[in-house]
Amino acid sequence: VIGWRALRQTRSEIDLSRREVEEAHRPVVVPIIDIANRFQMGEVWVPAVPRLRGEVLIVPVQNIGSGPALGVEVAITPREDGGGISPAWGDARYLGVVAGIGVSGTVPVEIEVPKLREVQSFEVWVTYADVAKKEWVTVARYIHSRGRYEELSVDPLAEGVYGLRHRNPVQPVGRAPWP
């Protein structure tokens, strides 16, 4: 009995240690607006803010966590400023993908949105995995008239569901779906 209890306690301590290590090396990818942070677009250096190049929406994202983010997928759904469905696009979702983002890395993700003529409000979902293959989703709403992101949340994805290409919409664990 004593040996069995010691074994259970040891397993529980190992699980706790594993979780602490995973959390300590976890990526956290967020969409950013940072005038001081610039990236190259063609021959010009531009601020890290959502911008349009033709029909391609550039959405800068940054890994503010302490581990690399792998298989990063960024999807947007154009919205009205109040969050309502855009009459021009409905609930259409548009996807951009990057292989990964290192710690403190910033990447401009390109998302082709047909017929988009100007930057407007949108919902954004960023899905990614850590090195332990645990999957995460960051959800936010960009409000164009305010020039900022609101309602930002970072949640684990449901077990076995990864990426926006595999399930639409992504359902984070413990979060109600967007209206």
Side-chain angles (χ1 to χ4, degrees):
V1 171
I2 293 172
W4 179 251
R5 284 184 184 165
L7 180 60
R8 275 195 318 188
Q9 183 176 0
T10 301
R11 285 183 182 164
S12 128
E13 289 171 359
I14 290 171
D15 288 342
L16 178 61
S17 294
R18 181 179 298 127
R19 281 193 305 273
E20 287 173 351
V21 168
E22 287 173 357
E23 287 293 319
H25 298 290
R26 179 183 144 202
V28 178
V29 180
V30 295
I32 62 166
I33 295 175
D34 185 358
I35 304 297
N37 190 350
R38 297 183 177 272
F39 61 89
Q40 194 166 5
M41 202 162 127
E43 295 181 13
V44 191
W45 287 87
V46 296
V49 298
R51 64 179 51 253
L52 199 58
R53 183 181 68 211
E55 291 185 344
V56 175
L57 180 64
I58 311 294
V59 178
V61 295
Q62 184 174 35
N63 182 359
I64 62 171
S66 57
L70 308 173
V72 180
E73 297 177 344
V74 178
I76 63 124
T77 297
R79 295 287 188 209
E80 294 178 335
D81 274 1
I85 294 174
S86 167
W89 287 274
D91 272 339
R93 185 168 292 183
Y94 302 94
L95 181 67
V97 179
V98 293
I101 305 173
V103 176
S104 299
T106 301
V107 175
V109 180
E110 298 182 357
I111 304 166
E112 187 173 345
V113 183
K115 301 179 186 173
L116 188 63
R117 301 290 175 250
E118 63 184 32
V119 176
Q120 64 182 51
S121 297
F122 57 85
E123 291 175 353
V124 61
W125 293 264
V126 184
T127 60
Y128 49 95
D130 59 25
V131 293
K133 299 183 182 174
K134 186 166 183 177
E135 298 142 346
W136 302 91
V137 62
T138 301
V139 181
R141 184 172 287 157
Y142 175 72
I143 308 298
H144 179 66
S145 63
R146 296 181 186 146
R148 67 180 185 213
Y149 288 97
E150 297 180 353
E151 302 177 33
L152 182 91
S153 70
V154 179
D155 297 292
L157 278 177
E159 185 84 22
V161 175
Y162 178 72
L164 296 157
R165 292 177 279 186
H166 302 284
R167 186 170 175 198
N168 190 6
V170 167
Q171 181 61 51
V173 173
R175 180 179 171 85
W178 285 78

